[in-house]
Amino acid sequence: MKKLINLVLLLATVCIVQACNNDEVSDPPPAAPVEKDDSVNQDTADQNENAEATFTFTNFDLVVDYPDNKNYDVDYDNEQEGMEAEIEDTLNQNNLSGDEAFEELKPKFEKLTFDQNTKNEDVLSEVKEVFEINEDYTRIKVEVEFADGTEKEYSEQK
């Protein structure tokens, strides 16, 4: 009987923790490019390509490491199943997810002009400026998946 009670408590705890970790955006902009799924109907894919894109990418991950184990981490994914956004900022003790994170990220993303052909140094410079990255960082890493499926990684270590 005790084992059954412990199992029920464990499952309830897992459900509660999962509910608290909701980084899904409830109302994504309709023109934001969505990561292509090979199983998606081609007509739907064509419609997504023809819509004026809000951003040039479907996935954007930014990790900035600072001294004393501080970091600034942005995760943005726009896939067929939905859009997710999360900001973890241990430097300023500011963690956001879902709609709150997206509302903070959207104006920054709209300022980004780079594409898959932009030089690495230029991408990093633009990201540092738009996200107002403090110069005392030890490492910066940006991973982007563009609307056409191209994946790129940009990084710099001091």
Side-chain angles (χ1 to χ4, degrees):
M1 186 66 172
K2 281 186 176 184
K3 288 182 181 182
L4 180 60
I5 292 172
N6 285 340
L7 180 61
V8 170
L9 288 173
L10 177 63
L11 289 174
T13 303
V14 168
C15 290
I16 290 170
V17 169
Q18 285 292 54
C20 293
N21 190 20
N22 185 5
D23 57 357
E24 192 161 323
V25 176
S26 63
D27 191 22
V34 176
E35 183 176 346
K36 293 181 182 178
D37 183 355
D38 292 337
S39 65
V40 172
N41 176 323
Q42 187 59 40
D43 292 337
T44 304
D46 290 342
Q47 289 172 1
N48 286 342
E49 285 178 12
N50 293 334
E52 186 175 323
T54 304
F55 318 127
T56 59
F57 47 83
T58 59
N59 296 322
F60 181 92
D61 293 319
L62 168 64
V63 177
V64 184
D65 293 328
Y66 292 97
D68 300 324
N69 292 323
K70 302 285 184 182
N71 67 11
Y72 179 77
D73 187 6
V74 169
D75 291 313
Y76 166 81
D77 298 305
N78 193 12
E79 300 172 344
Q80 293 293 329
E81 301 82 39
M83 181 185 289
E84 296 179 350
E86 185 174 16
I87 301 171
E88 180 183 316
D89 183 359
T90 61
L91 194 63
N92 299 306
Q93 288 78 39
N94 186 25
N95 296 323
L96 302 172
S97 62
D99 292 330
E100 288 180 318
F102 184 71
E103 288 306 312
E104 174 124 352
L105 293 171
K106 184 180 176 188
K108 292 176 178 13
F109 287 165
E110 289 172 342
K111 291 179 184 176
L112 295 174
T113 61
F114 67 85
D115 62 20
Q116 57 270 45
N117 300 315
T118 307
K119 293 181 184 179
N120 290 5
E121 317 71 66
D122 295 338
V123 171
L124 289 170
S125 177
E126 186 173 344
V127 168
K128 287 188 273 187
E129 181 180 328
V130 167
F131 283 87
E132 300 174 354
I133 303 300
N134 295 337
E135 286 300 317
D136 64 336
Y137 67 88
T138 57
R139 180 180 73 106
I140 183 171
K141 180 177 168 185
V142 180
E143 293 179 7
V144 180
E145 183 174 340
F146 293 94
D148 68 356
T150 303
E151 295 180 19
K152 292 280 215 155
E153 182 177 311
Y154 313 90
S155 63
E156 177 180 88
Q157 188 144 355
K158 286 186 173 181

